[in-house]
Amino acid sequence: MSTLQRAKCQAKAHPLAMDAALAAAVLVCMVAGSFVEPRHRDSVSWALRTPDPLSLVLMALGAAALVFRRRAPMTVLALTGAVSVIESVTGDPRAPVAMSAVIALYTVASTTDRPTTWRVGLLTMTVLTGSAMAAGSLPWYAQENLAIFAWTGIGATAGDAVRSRRAFVQAIRERAERAERTREEEARRRVAEERLRIA
């Protein structure tokens, strides 16, 4: 294997390793969050609970899908959205499986154009929030349902902002490179004219 091929393999492996680390961190956050119940029947204090086995499986599936978020962002969003809907409908109390869908939505928004981000973001917000409000065990106005709406909106907005910033930085870089090329061409032209004048 040549040095160039080895460098390409390392460049491909590096984002995959970063995505695997992100998926592990998201899984830890989801599992930790699934053991805490913020509302208790008799008080406003935090209480411990045991998550359902189905919730643990859904959290593992959602986190595992995030490993491939750069390779197939739409597919990962569809999968994480599906496990989030299943948890919204079956979980009582609900585990934070939607966290994986928020990360996937951020990835889609940061890698596509603005119209796609708007369409996919609104669809994701509608499906996740609608299923939680309509079929979940909580009242439609519950704080957890509104949180899903807010977090999906934040994910789409943050991804769009990152994509816009990348495009802006790339445009500045291209403009600077173009200006540098123009200066070099101008310098070569002047040298050629000077040589012609001397000759």
Side-chain angles (χ1 to χ4, degrees):
M1 184 182 282
S2 70
T3 308
L4 182 61
Q5 289 173 331
R6 204 173 305 123
K8 284 182 180 178
C9 287
Q10 287 173 348
K12 287 180 183 176
H14 183 65
L16 192 62
M18 285 178 55
D19 288 341
L22 174 69
V26 169
L27 179 61
V28 168
C29 290
M30 287 191 296
V31 170
S34 69
F35 280 95
V36 178
E37 184 171 2
R39 38 187 181 75
H40 195 55
R41 285 186 173 81
D42 302 324
S43 66
V44 292
S45 63
W46 292 76
L48 287 179
R49 64 183 167 107
T50 303
D52 296 331
L54 177 61
S55 295
L56 293 171
V57 169
L58 293 173
M59 285 185 278
L61 286 173
L66 292 178
V67 175
F68 306 102
R69 69 188 184 98
R70 292 184 214 231
R71 291 184 179 180
M74 290 290 196
T75 305
V76 170
L77 178 59
L79 180 61
T80 56
V83 296
S84 299
V85 167
I86 292 169
E87 177 62 22
S88 292
V89 172
T90 61
D92 186 22
R94 193 183 300 157
V97 178
M99 186 183 294
S100 60
V102 170
I103 302 292
L105 180 57
Y106 165 85
T107 304
V108 168
S110 67
T111 56
T112 59
D113 58 353
R114 183 161 287 152
T116 304
T117 298
W118 274 94
R119 284 193 303 271
V120 172
L122 287 173
L123 178 65
T124 304
M125 287 169 63
T126 303
V127 169
L128 294 186
T129 308
S131 63
M133 288 179 169
S137 58
L138 300 172
W140 71 268
Y141 54 83
Q143 183 177 352
E144 287 88 345
N145 295 338
L146 299 176
I148 290 174
F149 179 81
W151 280 109
T152 50
I154 289 169
T157 304
D160 185 60
V162 167
R163 182 197 49 74
S164 296
R165 186 176 186 287
R166 274 193 212 130
F168 178 71
V169 168
Q170 182 64 25
I172 289 175
R173 190 174 291 140
E174 288 173 0
R175 197 175 306 138
E177 288 172 359
R178 230 182 357 257
E180 182 66 28
R181 279 196 303 271
T182 303
R183 279 195 299 270
E184 288 173 359
E185 289 169 3
E186 179 66 19
R188 280 196 296 271
R189 186 183 63 76
R190 287 183 180 175
V191 167
E193 285 177 355
E194 185 65 18
R195 284 179 180 161
L196 188 61
R197 189 186 64 80
I198 292 170

